[in-house]
Structures are given as C-alpha cells and as structure tokens.
Amino acid sequence: GFRVHTAASAEEALPQARDHRPDVMLIDYKLPSMNGLDLLRAVRSWLPNMAAIMRGVVRRMDFLSVVGVGFD
C-alpha cells in the first residue's frame, strides 16, 4: 500500500519529507512562501534520488527551470 501525506506549504512539507522520506512528491509550483523549485532543491539535498512531479507550471521559462532542477 501507499501512505499519502499532505501539506499546505513548503514549511509544512519540509519536516514531513524529513520524517517520512517519500519515494515521490507531487509539488505545486506556486506555494505561499517558497516556490516548488526551492522546495525540491531543499528536499533533494538529503533525498537526491526522490522522484518529483510538478504541477501548475504555465510559462515556458518556468518549465525550463523545472526541468533544470530535475522534476520527473
């Protein structure tokens, strides 16, 4: 089975990622105080092989940034 954890912000997601060490994260690009790219960079500093899926990218520049950081 799978366990799903939710967070309304990057500040909520970071400690959950540390505690639960997810295999994959679904991350919204536009978060309240930190964007999804910054969240992924932070999580990948201790989970370098975690898969990530980004949602909410609307501009080409945003898309290129997401691909450059390593979203799957």
Side-chain angles (χ1 to χ4, degrees), residues 25-55:
M25 287 180 75
L26 173 62
I27 302 173
D28 194 0
Y29 182 77
K30 294 184 180 182
L31 295 170
S33 62
M34 175 190 296
N35 71 39
L37 296 175
D38 294 334
L39 174 59
L40 178 63
R41 285 184 188 106
V43 173
R44 285 243 172 109
S45 70
W46 72 87
L47 291 174
N49 297 318
M50 182 200 67
I53 302 166
M54 173 67 76
R55 71 172 288 303

Side-chain angles (χ1 to χ4, degrees), residues 17-28:
R18 280 189 197 100
D19 293 344
H20 302 291
R21 304 185 63 79
D23 294 319
V24 64
M25 287 180 75
L26 173 62
I27 302 173
D28 194 0

